[in-house]
Amino acid sequence: MRAIFVLCIMLAMAIPDRPASANVNARNPEITQLLLDKSSRTLYLLNGKRAVRQYRVDLGSNPSGHKQFQGDGRTPEGLYYITHRNPNSNFHLSLGISYPNARDREIARRLGRNPGGDIFIHGRGARISNPPPDWTRGCAAVTDTEMAEIFNLVRPGTPIFIKP
């Protein structure tokens, strides 16, 4: 009896703790990071290094190169974070991205320009029914159905790496 009790304690200690708020199960594993591959127009939701979801995205109207200033139509590149969730977005739902960072602000300052901001992962919303490719002003856009799924899985603070 004592051996069974000790075995149960050892097994319980071997199971990693999960935050009570995390929505973790086989169907919806915790999303620990995002990868946006601009060249393949694909957003990956990752648990560790394993992709658990992927989505086709539209990017900014000038998709090649790193965003440098407001109005350039580019999607940023590099490491950022999800800053907040916006349930009242004009584009259905949205997740804020931490652009510009200190490096982005310095580059824009050297160019004598405003770095811009308001970069999001978002849906289409009621006004955008059949958009052309790469129609955003620097954001990453998915369908509204996909955005609802992403919105429910991704939490603020999640890192996002945006690859050229």
Side-chain angles (χ1 to χ4, degrees):
M1 183 72 162
R2 182 168 155 52
I4 293 173
F5 177 74
V6 170
L7 181 60
C8 289
I9 296 293
M10 289 174 54
L11 284 172
M13 290 174 60
I15 298 171
D17 291 332
R18 297 260 187 218
S21 63
N23 181 13
V24 180
N25 61 44
R27 182 156 162 67
N28 294 315
E30 179 182 8
I31 303 305
T32 59
Q33 56 191 324
L34 307 175
L35 171 63
L36 175 56
D37 185 336
K38 289 173 55 175
S39 65
S40 68
R41 307 286 194 286
T42 306
L43 173 66
Y44 299 93
L45 276 58
L46 303 158
N47 174 271
K49 294 181 181 179
R50 185 175 63 90
V52 295
R53 301 275 193 290
Q54 69 182 56
Y55 307 90
R56 164 110 177 53
V57 297
D58 285 318
L59 301 172
S61 58
N62 184 13
S64 61
H66 175 61
K67 182 167 194 61
Q68 294 185 332
F69 53 85
Q70 185 173 12
D72 66 6
R74 292 183 173 158
T75 302
E77 297 172 354
L79 179 62
Y80 296 92
Y81 297 88
I82 299 301
T83 57
H84 65 286
R85 301 168 69 202
N86 181 3
N88 300 312
S89 171
N90 289 331
F91 299 97
H92 184 56
L93 299 166
S94 63
L95 297 174
I97 296 176
S98 63
Y99 176 89
N101 60 27
R103 181 176 167 265
D104 298 321
R105 287 189 292 277
E106 177 57 25
I107 290 169
R109 186 193 64 74
R110 278 190 268 141
L111 295 170
R113 305 290 298 265
N114 179 338
D118 289 333
I119 301 297
F120 291 87
I121 299 168
H122 61 70
R124 293 179 180 167
R127 295 179 291 170
I128 310 290
S129 59
N130 192 17
D134 297 331
W135 58 275
T136 77
R137 294 182 181 160
C139 298
V142 295
T143 68
D144 289 351
T145 301
E146 292 168 334
M147 191 61 225
E149 182 175 73
I150 295 166
F151 190 86
N152 288 323
L153 291 171
V154 177
R155 300 287 171 243
T158 303
I160 176 170
F161 183 74
I162 305 172
K163 178 182 164 203

